[in-house]
Amino acid sequence: GHSSCSISAYVPSLKALFPSDGGGVPFRNTAVIAGNSNFTQYQNSLEKLMSLDADFVCGDHDGCVSGEEAKHFIENTSQIAREYRHAIEVAYMKTKDIDAAAQALEHAVKPRIHTGIGTSESHIRYKFNSTPEKILERAVEAVSYAKSFVEDIEFYAEDAGRTDNEFLAKVCEEVIKAGATVLNIPDTTGYCLPEEYGAKMTYLKENVKGIENVVLSCHCHNDLGLATANSIAGVQAGARQIECTINGIGERAGNTSLEEVVMIMKQHPYLNLDTNINTQLLYSTSQMVQHHMGILVQPNKAVVGENAFAHSSGIHQDGVIKNRETNEIMDPSDVVVTESSIVLTARSGRA
């Protein structure tokens, strides 16, 4: 049967998660909106993301819980929660952060609070100057406190990619007991190879009690160009949510590209992974994000780049002219790029 995976798309001004409800496991769709963005702009962006069939809206206040910024964050996220059927909120470990998230989600139909802490040896030792035991205690406390406000709690184990699997499994098991419903397993530094990331998901599925009752989520960074590959490896190993970004933008070298993972699953139906994402809106959404952020994608960007369906090599042109499928695995109309193009260059050759 088919399974569903959640995809999370991040943009500094808007972030999006996308699961679907297709036959079997639904791939949830979530739009995430950052609290410090221009509200009118991200409201417009949100409407576009909702058209993609996003199930959630996420307001990320990034720890801003005091003063005028916090006031605007709560007001804006509350307005979004009232106007759309679902909402997801990203909070952090501190009680006051979770309080702000809960207040912002008061009118949401399906609120979710996302909390977590670093679990790798380097994070525990250098970032928190702490011990594994204390980190585990703080993780459980945060989830338990968030659970007092809403039922749907996502827990992230920051730098899970470099976290010892046995300790990671212990943390996951304890936060499940505390009420976590989604486990976010981030490759925060973009370090993992696909087989390593997939094996980590497999290890958790085989060694964490109660894992069958929660959703495993992929959150990958692109420092070594492997974010998309790692995310696909994660869902092949049983994860059912991918956190990603429109155009692959994000911290440092970026996050997993939403349009890439969506089209990979569409082009490989044997994976039995469905998303409800409206692929017809991928190109226009990409254009909107480029416009709002002032950051253009490279011409050879997969799926949405200017040259994604352009053929300049004579060998390729010959094939496409005779039959498009010789050199194109995607139909341009699937992402509403009107048609392929033949670009005459010095490499085109002669008939």
Side-chain angles (χ1 to χ4, degrees):
H2 284 242
S3 301
S4 81
C5 225
S6 300
I7 299 183
S8 241
Y10 297 82
V11 182
S13 60
L14 46 103
K15 299 181 181 181
L17 275 127
F18 296 82
S20 117
D21 297 318
V25 185
F27 216 91
R28 296 192 183 98
N29 310 316
T30 307
V32 184
I33 309 301
N36 61 356
S37 306
N38 175 283
F39 184 62
T40 302
Q41 185 182 77
Y42 80 51
Q43 188 81 331
N44 293 338
S45 301
L46 172 61
E47 291 172 1
K48 186 75 172 177
L49 287 167
M50 289 305 237
S51 298
L52 278 168
D53 284 340
D55 296 320
F56 290 91
V57 178
C58 179
D60 178 5
H61 60 78
D62 201 20
C64 135
V65 291
S66 60
E68 201 63 23
E69 284 185 329
K71 179 173 179 283
H72 288 318
F73 160 74
I74 291 170
E75 289 175 351
N76 290 347
T77 308
S78 295
Q79 182 176 331
I80 292 170
R82 285 188 183 94
E83 292 184 13
Y84 298 96
R85 18 185 215 109
H86 304 311
I88 176 170
E89 173 55 35
V90 177
Y92 296 98
M93 291 298 290
K94 295 179 181 178
T95 298
K96 61 181 181 178
D97 292 351
I98 296 173
D99 287 340
Q103 185 178 350
L105 292 172
E106 186 177 353
H107 301 286
V109 176
K110 288 189 177 180
R112 176 189 288 175
I113 292 178
H114 190 167
T115 186
I117 195 168
T119 55
S120 69
E121 182 180 358
S122 64
H123 278 232
I124 294 171
R125 180 181 298 180
Y126 302 115
K127 189 173 179 178
F128 297 105
N129 190 26
S130 189
T131 65
E133 292 74 22
K134 290 180 180 177
I135 290 297
L136 180 59
E137 184 179 328
R138 288 179 64 180
V140 170
E141 286 176 354
V143 171
S144 298
Y145 187 66
K147 193 75 171 182
S148 68
F149 295 103
V150 301
E151 282 299 312
D152 193 5
I153 307 296
E154 180 168 351
F155 174 82
Y156 66 85
E158 188 177 6
D159 203 16
R162 296 188 298 171
T163 298
D164 172 74
N165 282 349
E166 187 174 342
F167 179 64
L168 181 61
K170 185 176 182 179
V171 172
C172 288
E173 192 165 304
E174 292 304 311
V175 297
I176 288 173
K177 291 178 185 175
T181 53
V182 180
L183 298 178
N184 176 0
I185 311 300
D187 182 23
T188 306
T189 60
Y191 176 77
C192 287
L193 294 173
E195 56 265 34
E196 293 172 334
Y197 191 71
K200 191 173 286 282
M201 292 294 188
T202 299
Y203 182 89
L204 295 176
K205 287 186 72 68
E206 293 177 350
N207 292 278
V208 175
K209 292 179 182 176
I211 197 82
E212 67 279 2
N213 299 318
V214 303
V215 173
L216 274 173
S217 180
C218 307
H219 180 115
C220 299
H221 285 257
N222 206 38
D223 298 69
L224 293 174
L226 292 171
T228 293
N230 282 336
S231 296
I232 295 300
V235 296
Q236 285 182 292
R240 287 298 174 263
Q241 176 168 289
I242 296 176
E243 305 184 9
C244 53
T245 70
I246 302 294
N247 297 338
I249 64 173
E251 185 80 358
R252 302 185 311 277
N255 290 82
T256 303
S257 169
L258 181 149
E259 58 275 6
E260 290 176 14
V261 291
V262 167
M263 292 308 294
I264 285 170
M265 287 182 279
K266 182 179 177 65
Q267 296 304 122
H268 294 274
Y270 63 86
L271 292 175
N272 292 324
L273 293 169
D274 292 330
T275 78
N276 280 340
I277 298 300
N278 182 355
T279 64
Q280 298 278 306
L281 295 176
L282 288 177
Y283 183 75
S284 58
T285 303
S286 168
Q287 293 290 308
M288 175 201 71
V289 170
Q290 292 179 64
H291 173 72
H292 281 185
M293 297 192 66
I295 300 175
L296 301 179
V297 300
Q298 71 269 29
N300 63 331
K301 169 72 175 67
V303 182
V304 295
E306 183 181 342
N307 293 347
F309 295 94
H311 304 275
S312 60
S313 164
I315 296 174
H316 294 185
Q317 290 173 345
D318 178 57
V320 170
I321 290 170
K322 291 173 179 174
N323 186 312
R324 183 187 62 80
E325 294 182 1
T326 58
N327 283 88
E328 279 188 359
I329 60 166
M330 290 181 286
D331 187 337
S333 64
D334 283 345
V335 293
V336 192
V337 174
T338 52
E339 58 185 9
S340 306
S341 61
I342 299 294
V343 183
L344 295 179
T345 68
R347 297 181 296 117
S348 296
R350 296 184 178 185

